CSV table of all heavy atoms in Angstrom, one decimal:
chain,number,residue,atom,x,y,z
T,1,ASP,N,18.4,17.0,6.2
T,1,ASP,CA,18.4,17.2,4.7
T,1,ASP,C,19.7,17.7,4.3
T,1,ASP,O,20.2,17.3,3.2
T,1,ASP,CB,17.3,18.2,4.3
T,1,ASP,CG,15.9,17.6,4.3
T,1,ASP,OD1,15.8,16.4,4.7
T,1,ASP,OD2,15.0,18.3,3.8
T,2,ILE,N,20.4,18.6,5.1
T,2,ILE,CA,21.7,19.1,4.8
T,2,ILE,C,22.5,19.0,6.0
T,2,ILE,O,22.0,18.8,7.1
T,2,ILE,CB,21.7,20.5,4.2
T,2,ILE,CG1,21.1,21.5,5.2
T,2,ILE,CG2,20.9,20.6,2.9
T,2,ILE,CD1,21.1,22.9,4.8
T,3,GLU,N,23.8,19.2,5.9
T,3,GLU,CA,24.7,19.2,7.1
T,3,GLU,C,25.3,20.6,7.3
T,3,GLU,O,25.5,21.4,6.3
T,3,GLU,CB,25.9,18.2,6.9
T,3,GLU,CG,25.4,16.8,6.9
T,3,GLU,CD,26.6,15.8,6.8
T,3,GLU,OE1,27.8,16.3,6.6
T,3,GLU,OE2,26.4,14.6,6.8
T,4,GLY,N,25.6,20.9,8.5
T,4,GLY,CA,26.3,22.2,8.8
T,4,GLY,C,27.8,22.1,8.5
T,4,GLY,O,28.3,21.0,8.3
T,5,ASP,N,28.5,23.2,8.5
T,5,ASP,CA,29.9,23.2,8.2
T,5,ASP,C,30.7,22.6,9.4
T,5,ASP,O,31.7,21.9,9.2
T,5,ASP,CB,30.4,24.6,7.9
T,5,ASP,CG,29.8,25.2,6.7
T,5,ASP,OD1,29.4,24.4,5.8
T,5,ASP,OD2,29.8,26.4,6.6
T,6,SER,N,30.3,22.9,10.6
T,6,SER,CA,30.9,22.4,11.8
T,6,SER,C,29.9,22.3,12.9
T,6,SER,O,28.8,22.8,12.8
T,6,SER,CB,32.1,23.3,12.2
T,6,SER,OG,31.6,24.6,12.5
T,7,GLY,N,30.3,21.7,14.0
T,7,GLY,CA,29.4,21.5,15.1
T,7,GLY,C,28.8,20.1,15.1
T,7,GLY,O,29.1,19.3,14.2
T,8,SER,N,27.9,19.8,16.0
T,8,SER,CA,27.4,18.5,16.1
T,8,SER,C,25.9,18.5,16.5
T,8,SER,O,25.4,19.5,17.2
T,8,SER,CB,28.1,17.6,17.2
T,8,SER,OG,28.0,18.2,18.5
T,9,ILE,N,25.2,17.5,16.1
T,9,ILE,CA,23.8,17.3,16.5
T,9,ILE,C,23.6,15.9,17.1
T,9,ILE,O,23.9,14.9,16.4
T,9,ILE,CB,22.8,17.5,15.3
T,9,ILE,CG1,22.9,18.9,14.7
T,9,ILE,CG2,21.4,17.2,15.8
T,9,ILE,CD1,22.1,19.1,13.5
T,10,ALA,N,23.2,15.9,18.4
T,10,ALA,CA,23.0,14.6,19.1
T,10,ALA,C,21.6,14.4,19.3
T,10,ALA,O,20.9,15.3,19.8
T,10,ALA,CB,23.8,14.6,20.4
T,11,THR,N,21.1,13.2,18.9
T,11,THR,CA,19.6,12.9,19.1
T,11,THR,C,19.4,11.6,19.9
T,11,THR,O,20.3,10.7,19.9
T,11,THR,CB,18.9,12.8,17.7
T,11,THR,OG1,19.5,11.7,17.0
T,11,THR,CG2,19.1,14.0,16.9
T,12,GLU,N,18.3,11.5,20.4
T,12,GLU,CA,17.9,10.2,21.1
T,12,GLU,C,17.8,9.1,20.0
T,12,GLU,O,17.6,9.4,18.8
T,12,GLU,CB,16.5,10.3,21.7
T,12,GLU,CG,16.6,11.1,23.0
T,12,GLU,CD,15.2,11.2,23.6
T,12,GLU,OE1,14.2,10.6,23.1
T,12,GLU,OE2,15.1,12.0,24.6
T,13,LYS,N,18.1,7.9,20.4
T,13,LYS,CA,18.0,6.8,19.4
T,13,LYS,C,16.6,6.6,18.9
T,13,LYS,O,15.6,6.8,19.6
T,13,LYS,CB,18.4,5.5,20.2
T,13,LYS,CG,19.1,4.5,19.3
T,13,LYS,CD,19.6,3.3,20.1
T,13,LYS,CE,20.3,2.3,19.2
T,13,LYS,NZ,20.9,1.2,19.9
T,14,ALA,N,16.5,6.4,17.6
T,14,ALA,CA,15.2,6.2,16.9
T,14,ALA,C,14.3,7.4,17.0
T,14,ALA,O,13.1,7.3,17.0
T,14,ALA,CB,14.5,5.0,17.5
T,15,LEU,N,14.8,8.6,17.1
T,15,LEU,CA,14.0,9.8,17.1
T,15,LEU,C,13.4,10.0,15.7
T,15,LEU,O,14.0,9.9,14.7
T,15,LEU,CB,14.9,11.0,17.4
T,15,LEU,CG,14.2,12.4,17.4
T,15,LEU,CD1,13.4,12.5,18.7
T,15,LEU,CD2,15.2,13.5,17.3
T,16,LYS,N,12.0,10.1,15.7
T,16,LYS,CA,11.3,10.3,14.5
T,16,LYS,C,11.0,11.7,14.2
T,16,LYS,O,10.4,12.4,15.1
T,16,LYS,CB,10.0,9.5,14.5
T,16,LYS,CG,10.2,7.9,14.5
T,16,LYS,CD,8.9,7.2,14.5
T,16,LYS,CE,8.2,7.3,13.2
T,16,LYS,NZ,6.9,6.5,13.3
T,17,ILE,N,11.4,12.2,13.0
T,17,ILE,CA,11.3,13.7,12.7
T,17,ILE,C,10.4,13.8,11.5
T,17,ILE,O,10.6,13.2,10.5
T,17,ILE,CB,12.7,14.3,12.4
T,17,ILE,CG1,13.6,14.2,13.7
T,17,ILE,CG2,12.5,15.8,12.0
T,17,ILE,CD1,15.0,14.7,13.4
T,18,GLY,N,9.4,14.7,11.7
T,18,GLY,CA,8.5,15.0,10.5
T,18,GLY,C,8.7,16.5,10.1
T,18,GLY,O,8.8,17.4,11.0
T,19,PHE,N,8.9,16.7,8.8
T,19,PHE,CA,9.2,18.0,8.3
T,19,PHE,C,8.2,18.5,7.3
T,19,PHE,O,8.0,17.9,6.2
T,19,PHE,CB,10.6,17.9,7.6
T,19,PHE,CG,11.2,19.2,7.2
T,19,PHE,CD1,10.7,20.4,7.6
T,19,PHE,CD2,12.4,19.2,6.4
T,19,PHE,CE1,11.2,21.7,7.2
T,19,PHE,CE2,12.9,20.4,6.0
T,19,PHE,CZ,12.4,21.6,6.4
T,20,LEU,N,7.5,19.6,7.7
T,20,LEU,CA,6.5,20.2,6.8
T,20,LEU,C,7.3,21.4,6.1
T,20,LEU,O,7.6,22.4,6.7
T,20,LEU,CB,5.3,20.8,7.5
T,20,LEU,CG,4.3,21.4,6.7
T,20,LEU,CD1,3.5,20.4,5.9
T,20,LEU,CD2,3.3,22.2,7.6
T,21,ARG,N,7.6,21.2,4.8
T,21,ARG,CA,8.3,22.2,4.1
T,21,ARG,C,7.4,23.3,3.5
T,21,ARG,O,6.2,23.2,3.5
T,21,ARG,CB,9.1,21.5,2.9
T,21,ARG,CG,10.2,20.6,3.4
T,21,ARG,CD,10.7,19.7,2.3
T,21,ARG,NE,11.8,18.9,2.7
T,21,ARG,CZ,11.7,17.7,3.4
T,21,ARG,NH1,10.5,17.3,3.7
T,21,ARG,NH2,12.8,17.1,3.7
T,22,GLN,N,8.1,24.4,3.1
T,22,GLN,CA,7.3,25.6,2.6
T,22,GLN,C,6.6,25.2,1.3
T,22,GLN,O,5.5,25.5,1.1
T,22,GLN,CB,8.3,26.7,2.2
T,22,GLN,CG,8.7,27.6,3.4
T,22,GLN,CD,9.5,28.8,3.0
T,22,GLN,OE1,9.7,29.1,1.8
T,22,GLN,NE2,10.2,29.4,3.9
T,23,ASP,N,7.3,24.5,0.4
T,23,ASP,CA,6.8,24.1,-0.9
T,23,ASP,C,6.5,22.6,-0.9
T,23,ASP,O,7.4,21.8,-0.9
T,23,ASP,CB,7.8,24.5,-2.0
T,23,ASP,CG,8.2,26.0,-1.9
T,23,ASP,OD1,7.2,26.8,-1.8
T,23,ASP,OD2,9.4,26.3,-2.0
T,24,ILE,N,5.2,22.3,-0.9
T,24,ILE,CA,4.8,20.9,-1.0
T,24,ILE,C,4.8,20.4,-2.4
T,24,ILE,O,4.2,21.0,-3.3
T,24,ILE,CB,3.4,20.8,-0.3
T,24,ILE,CG1,3.4,21.3,1.1
T,24,ILE,CG2,2.9,19.3,-0.4
T,24,ILE,CD1,2.0,21.4,1.7
T,25,ASP,N,5.4,19.3,-2.6
T,25,ASP,CA,5.5,18.8,-4.0
T,25,ASP,C,4.9,17.4,-4.1
T,25,ASP,O,5.5,16.4,-3.7
T,25,ASP,CB,7.0,18.7,-4.4
T,25,ASP,CG,7.2,18.3,-5.8
T,25,ASP,OD1,6.3,18.5,-6.6
T,25,ASP,OD2,8.3,17.8,-6.1
T,26,PHE,N,3.6,17.3,-4.5
T,26,PHE,CA,2.9,16.1,-4.6
T,26,PHE,C,3.1,15.5,-6.0
T,26,PHE,O,3.2,16.3,-7.0
T,26,PHE,CB,1.4,16.3,-4.4
T,26,PHE,CG,1.1,16.5,-2.9
T,26,PHE,CD1,-0.2,17.0,-2.6
T,26,PHE,CD2,2.0,16.2,-1.9
T,26,PHE,CE1,-0.5,17.3,-1.2
T,26,PHE,CE2,1.6,16.5,-0.6
T,26,PHE,CZ,0.4,17.0,-0.3
T,27,GLU,N,3.1,14.2,-6.1
T,27,GLU,CA,3.2,13.5,-7.4
T,27,GLU,C,1.8,13.6,-8.1
T,27,GLU,O,0.8,13.3,-7.5
T,27,GLU,CB,3.5,12.1,-7.2
T,27,GLU,CG,3.8,11.3,-8.5
T,27,GLU,CD,4.3,9.9,-8.2
T,27,GLU,OE1,5.3,9.7,-7.5
T,27,GLU,OE2,3.7,9.0,-8.7
T,28,GLN,N,1.8,14.1,-9.4
T,28,GLN,CA,0.6,14.2,-10.1
T,28,GLN,C,-0.1,12.9,-10.2
T,28,GLN,O,0.5,11.8,-10.4
T,28,GLN,CB,0.9,14.7,-11.5
T,28,GLN,CG,1.5,16.1,-11.6
T,28,GLN,CD,0.4,17.2,-11.5
T,28,GLN,OE1,-0.7,17.0,-12.0
T,28,GLN,NE2,0.7,18.3,-10.8
T,29,GLY,N,-1.5,12.9,-10.1
T,29,GLY,CA,-2.3,11.7,-10.4
T,29,GLY,C,-2.6,11.0,-9.1
T,29,GLY,O,-3.5,10.1,-9.1
T,30,ARG,N,-2.0,11.2,-8.0
T,30,ARG,CA,-2.3,10.5,-6.7
T,30,ARG,C,-3.6,11.1,-6.1
T,30,ARG,O,-3.8,12.3,-6.2
T,30,ARG,CB,-1.2,10.7,-5.7
T,30,ARG,CG,0.0,9.7,-5.9
T,30,ARG,CD,1.0,10.0,-4.7
T,30,ARG,NE,2.2,9.2,-4.9
T,30,ARG,CZ,3.3,9.5,-4.3
T,30,ARG,NH1,3.4,10.5,-3.5
T,30,ARG,NH2,4.4,8.8,-4.5
T,31,THR,N,-4.4,10.2,-5.6
T,31,THR,CA,-5.6,10.6,-4.9
T,31,THR,C,-5.2,11.1,-3.5
T,31,THR,O,-4.1,10.9,-3.0
T,31,THR,CB,-6.6,9.5,-4.8
T,31,THR,OG1,-6.0,8.5,-3.9
T,31,THR,CG2,-6.9,8.9,-6.1
T,32,VAL,N,-6.2,11.7,-2.8
T,32,VAL,CA,-5.9,12.2,-1.4
T,32,VAL,C,-5.5,11.0,-0.5
T,32,VAL,O,-4.6,11.1,0.2
T,32,VAL,CB,-7.2,12.8,-0.9
T,32,VAL,CG1,-7.1,13.1,0.6
T,32,VAL,CG2,-7.5,14.1,-1.6
T,33,LEU,N,-6.2,9.9,-0.7
T,33,LEU,CA,-5.9,8.7,0.1
T,33,LEU,C,-4.5,8.2,-0.2
T,33,LEU,O,-3.7,7.8,0.7
T,33,LEU,CB,-6.9,7.5,-0.1
T,33,LEU,CG,-8.1,7.5,0.8
T,33,LEU,CD1,-9.0,6.4,0.4
T,33,LEU,CD2,-7.8,7.4,2.2
T,34,ASP,N,-4.2,8.1,-1.5
T,34,ASP,CA,-2.9,7.6,-1.9
T,34,ASP,C,-1.7,8.5,-1.4
T,34,ASP,O,-0.7,7.9,-0.9
T,34,ASP,CB,-2.7,7.6,-3.5
T,34,ASP,CG,-3.6,6.5,-4.1
T,34,ASP,OD1,-3.9,5.6,-3.5
T,34,ASP,OD2,-3.9,6.7,-5.3
T,35,GLU,N,-2.0,9.8,-1.4
T,35,GLU,CA,-0.9,10.7,-0.8
T,35,GLU,C,-0.8,10.5,0.7
T,35,GLU,O,0.3,10.5,1.2
T,35,GLU,CB,-1.3,12.1,-1.2
T,35,GLU,CG,-0.2,13.1,-0.9
T,35,GLU,CD,1.1,12.9,-1.6
T,35,GLU,OE1,1.1,12.6,-2.9
T,35,GLU,OE2,2.2,12.9,-1.0
T,36,ALA,N,-2.0,10.4,1.4
T,36,ALA,CA,-1.9,10.2,2.8
T,36,ALA,C,-1.2,8.9,3.2
T,36,ALA,O,-0.5,8.8,4.2
T,36,ALA,CB,-3.3,10.2,3.4
T,37,TYR,N,-1.4,7.9,2.4
T,37,TYR,CA,-0.8,6.6,2.6
T,37,TYR,C,0.7,6.6,2.5
T,37,TYR,O,1.4,5.7,3.0
T,37,TYR,CB,-1.3,5.5,1.7
T,37,TYR,CG,-2.7,5.1,1.9
T,37,TYR,CD1,-3.5,4.5,0.9
T,37,TYR,CD2,-3.3,5.2,3.1
T,37,TYR,CE1,-4.8,4.1,1.1
T,37,TYR,CE2,-4.6,4.8,3.4
T,37,TYR,CZ,-5.4,4.2,2.3
T,37,TYR,OH,-6.7,3.9,2.5
T,38,GLN,N,1.3,7.7,1.9
T,38,GLN,CA,2.7,7.8,1.8
T,38,GLN,C,3.4,7.9,3.3
T,38,GLN,O,4.6,7.8,3.4
T,38,GLN,CB,3.1,9.1,1.0
T,38,GLN,CG,2.7,9.1,-0.4
T,38,GLN,CD,3.1,7.8,-1.2
T,38,GLN,OE1,4.3,7.5,-1.2
T,38,GLN,NE2,2.1,7.1,-1.7
T,39,ALA,N,2.5,8.2,4.3
T,39,ALA,CA,3.0,8.2,5.6
T,39,ALA,C,3.4,6.9,6.1
T,39,ALA,O,4.2,6.7,7.1
T,39,ALA,CB,1.9,8.8,6.6
T,40,PHE,N,2.9,5.8,5.4
T,40,PHE,CA,3.2,4.4,5.9
T,40,PHE,C,4.1,3.7,4.9
T,40,PHE,O,3.8,2.7,4.3
T,40,PHE,CB,1.8,3.7,6.0
T,40,PHE,CG,0.8,4.4,6.9
T,40,PHE,CD1,-0.2,5.1,6.3
T,40,PHE,CD2,0.9,4.4,8.3
T,40,PHE,CE1,-1.2,5.7,7.1
T,40,PHE,CE2,0.0,5.0,9.1
T,40,PHE,CZ,-1.1,5.7,8.5
T,41,GLU,N,5.3,4.2,4.8
T,41,GLU,CA,6.3,3.7,3.9
T,41,GLU,C,6.5,2.2,4.1
T,41,GLU,O,6.5,1.4,3.2
T,41,GLU,CB,7.6,4.5,3.9
T,41,GLU,CG,8.5,4.2,2.8
T,41,GLU,CD,9.7,5.1,2.8
T,41,GLU,OE1,9.7,6.1,3.5
T,41,GLU,OE2,10.7,4.7,2.2
T,42,GLU,N,6.8,1.9,5.4
T,42,GLU,CA,7.2,0.5,5.7
T,42,GLU,C,6.0,-0.4,5.6
T,42,GLU,O,6.1,-1.5,5.0
T,42,GLU,CB,7.7,0.4,7.1
T,42,GLU,CG,8.2,-1.0,7.5
T,42,GLU,CD,8.7,-1.1,8.9
T,42,GLU,OE1,8.6,-0.1,9.7
T,42,GLU,OE2,9.2,-2.2,9.3
T,43,ILE,N,4.8,0.1,6.0
T,43,ILE,CA,3.6,-0.7,6.0
T,43,ILE,C,3.2,-1.0,4.5
T,43,ILE,O,2.9,-2.2,4.1
T,43,ILE,CB,2.4,0.0,6.6
T,43,ILE,CG1,2.6,-0.1,8.2
T,43,ILE,CG2,1.1,-0.6,6.3
T,43,ILE,CD1,1.5,0.7,8.9
T,44,LYS,N,3.3,0.0,3.7
T,44,LYS,CA,3.0,-0.2,2.2
T,44,LYS,C,4.0,-1.1,1.5
T,44,LYS,O,3.6,-2.0,0.7
T,44,LYS,CB,3.0,1.2,1.5
T,44,LYS,CG,1.9,2.1,1.9
T,44,LYS,CD,0.5,1.6,1.6
T,44,LYS,CE,0.2,1.6,0.2
T,44,LYS,NZ,-1.2,1.1,-0.1
T,45,LYS,N,5.3,-1.1,2.0
T,45,LYS,CA,6.3,-1.9,1.4
T,45,LYS,C,6.0,-3.4,1.7
T,45,LYS,O,6.0,-4.3,0.9
T,45,LYS,CB,7.6,-1.5,1.9
T,45,LYS,CG,8.8,-2.2,1.3
T,45,LYS,CD,10.1,-1.7,1.8
T,45,LYS,CE,11.3,-2.5,1.3
T,45,LYS,NZ,12.6,-2.1,1.8
T,46,VAL,N,5.7,-3.6,3.0
T,46,VAL,CA,5.3,-5.0,3.5
T,46,VAL,C,4.1,-5.5,2.8
T,46,VAL,O,3.9,-6.6,2.3
T,46,VAL,CB,5.2,-5.1,5.0
T,46,VAL,CG1,4.7,-6.4,5.5
T,46,VAL,CG2,6.5,-4.7,5.7
């Protein structure tokens, strides 16, 4: 989400990272299913 001032971060190729933040910001009006489906960004796009 942000970068450090110096140093490096090396990761494995195609490493998938999930981030549960302190403050969850849901879009008003979405149902529980609609919000859960946000996990499938590529699938929903296709």
Side-chain angles (χ1 to χ4, degrees):
D1 280 9
I2 61 174
E3 291 184 358
D5 296 338
S6 61
S8 62
I9 300 177
T11 63
E12 288 179 1
K13 209 171 183 180
L15 181 76
K16 290 180 72 176
I17 299 174
F19 187 10
L20 181 71
R21 293 166 174 81
Q22 278 185 13
D23 304 312
I24 300 169
D25 186 21
F26 286 164
E27 189 177 302
Q28 293 280 324
R30 276 184 188 158
T31 66
V32 172
L33 272 179
D34 289 338
E35 189 61 48
Y37 288 158
Q38 299 306 305
F40 306 103
E41 190 177 344
E42 187 183 3
I43 287 175
K44 293 297 289 181
K45 188 179 177 182
V46 174

